Amino acid sequence: MRNLFRNGWMTFASISAVAVTLFILGGSILLSLNVQNISLNIESQLQINAYVSNVVPVKALPALEKRLAHLSGVRSVRFVSKVQALKQMKQILKSNADIMTGLGNPLPNAFILNAVNPQQTAAVAKEVQSTPGIESVQYGQSFLPKLLTIMNVARDAAVILIGGLLILGMFLISNTIRVTIFTRRREIEIMKLVGATNGFIRGPFFVEGTLMGLVGAAIPSVVLYELYRWIAQTVKLFPPFTLVPYPLVITHVVWVLVACGLFMGVWGSLFSMRRFLRV
C-alpha cells in the first residue's frame, strides 16, 4: 500500500487509464446486451403471412394447417380467418373504417407462422410458398436480409470491441508495473544482495497490480450502476425497442468489470515481472 502512494502519479495514471478502459468496456457490454435484447425482440416478432387461395374450401383449412405445422423449421402456426382479418383492419383504420363497408370482405384467409430459428425465416417461407393451397407469402422480403445482417454485424462488433478493450487494459497495467520496476531497480538490486527471495521481490508488484485493477474496476462499476439505473427509470421506450431491466443486468456487468479488473491486474503484473524483472 505504501508503494502505491510513493508512486502516486504512476498509480493515479494507471488506475485512471484502467477505469476509463473498463468504463468503456462496461458501456459496450450494456450496449451489446441491449442491442441483443432488441434483436431478440425483433426476431421473435418476425412472422410469415401465408395467404390461402380462394379456391380452398373451408373444410380443407384444418388439414392445411396441420401440413404447415409439420414443415421443417416451423415453430407455430395460427389461423386468421378473413372475418378476423377484416375486424383487425377496421381497428387499424379506426375513424376511416367506413371505407371498408362498401367493399365487402376482400381479405383472404391466412396462416401466421413463426420459424424456430428467425435466421431461417426466408427458407421456411419458401417451403410454405410451395405448399398446395397457399397463394402468396409475405415475410418482409425487402428488409429482412438487411435487418438480420445489421444485427449480426452489431453482435460481432461488440465482441471485437470488448476483446480489444481487455487487451488495452492489460497493456496499461503491464506498462505501469514495468515503469515501477525500472524506477525501483536499485532497491531491487539491494534486496537481492541482502538475500531476498524471488517471491519476496515479486510479491509487492503482484499485489500492486492486483489492487490497481480492482480499484480501476470499482470506479466505473459505481458510475455505470447509477447511470444505467437513471436511464432505465427515465427513458421510456416502446416494444421491441426496450431496455433490459437494470437490477439483474447491471449486477452482472459489475461482477464482469470486477473480474476483468482483477484479471487485467494479475495478468499485467505477471507479464511485466516475467519480462522485465529478471530475478
Side-chain angles (χ1 to χ4, degrees):
M1 292 298 295
R2 285 199 300 268
N3 288 337
L4 288 176
F5 288 101
R6 285 174 182 171
N7 301 277
W9 283 111
M10 288 300 303
T11 301
F12 174 78
S14 180
I15 292 176
S16 300
V18 173
V20 172
T21 302
L22 290 180
F23 179 83
I24 299 174
L25 174 63
S28 302
I29 294 175
L30 289 174
L31 179 62
S32 176
L33 289 174
N34 282 283
V35 168
Q36 186 174 8
N37 181 64
I38 293 173
S39 300
L40 292 175
N41 289 339
I42 294 175
E43 289 178 354
S44 65
Q45 296 181 17
L46 292 178
Q47 61 185 26
I48 302 169
N49 298 327
Y51 300 105
V52 182
S53 175
N54 291 328
V55 299
V56 177
V58 177
K59 294 181 179 180
L61 291 176
L64 179 57
E65 183 175 359
K66 289 182 180 179
R67 187 181 305 171
L68 293 174
H70 285 86
L71 292 176
S72 61
V74 174
R75 184 184 66 189
S76 62
V77 179
R78 179 170 58 90
F79 175 70
V80 179
S81 67
K82 57 193 312 181
V83 177
Q84 292 175 324
L86 182 61
K87 289 181 180 179
Q88 293 175 2
M89 179 65 72
K90 288 182 178 181
Q91 289 177 354
I92 295 173
L93 294 175
K94 294 182 179 179
S95 59
N96 297 320
D98 294 338
I99 63 177
M100 301 293 295
T101 304
L103 299 176
N105 189 354
L107 302 176
N109 294 317
F111 291 99
I112 310 299
L113 298 92
N114 294 94
V116 175
N117 183 359
Q119 301 284 339
Q120 298 178 350
T121 299
V124 174
K126 290 182 180 179
E127 291 190 43
V128 175
Q129 179 69 70
S130 61
T131 303
I134 300 299
E135 183 175 354
S136 62
V137 171
Q138 291 184 358
Y139 60 94
Q141 298 92 319
S142 58
F143 70 88
L144 181 60
K146 295 180 181 179
L147 176 64
L148 294 177
T149 300
I150 291 173
M151 290 189 293
N152 290 333
V153 170
R155 292 170 184 171
D156 294 340
V159 172
I160 294 173
L161 178 61
I162 291 171
L165 291 172
L166 280 175
I167 295 173
L168 176 61
M170 289 185 290
F171 170 78
L172 291 171
I173 291 182
S174 173
N175 193 59
T176 302
I177 295 294
R178 182 183 64 177
V179 174
T180 304
I181 292 172
F182 179 79
T183 57
R184 294 165 60 186
R185 63 190 184 280
R186 188 175 297 277
E187 176 186 344
I188 294 171
E189 291 176 0
I190 295 173
M191 286 194 293
K192 289 174 64 178
L193 289 174
V194 297
T197 62
N198 291 345
F200 184 86
I201 297 174
R202 290 191 174 110
F205 295 110
F206 177 80
V207 175
E208 287 177 36
T210 303
L211 289 175
M212 285 189 287
L214 288 176
V215 175
I219 297 172
S221 296
V222 174
V223 174
L224 283 173
Y225 182 86
E226 295 298 332
L227 181 61
Y228 189 79
R229 184 176 66 172
W230 177 80
I231 293 175
Q233 294 176 345
T234 305
V235 179
K236 303 298 181 183
L237 300 175
F238 56 90
F241 302 97
T242 55
L243 295 176
V244 180
Y246 80 89
L248 181 62
V249 173
I250 198 65
T251 301
H252 283 74
V253 172
V254 167
W255 283 113
V256 168
L257 291 184
V258 172
C260 289
L262 180 62
F263 174 74
M264 288 160 54
V266 170
W267 189 91
S269 301
L270 294 176
F271 177 78
S272 295
M273 288 186 291
R274 286 188 62 184
R275 187 172 180 182
F276 303 105
L277 184 58
R278 304 298 181 184
V279 295

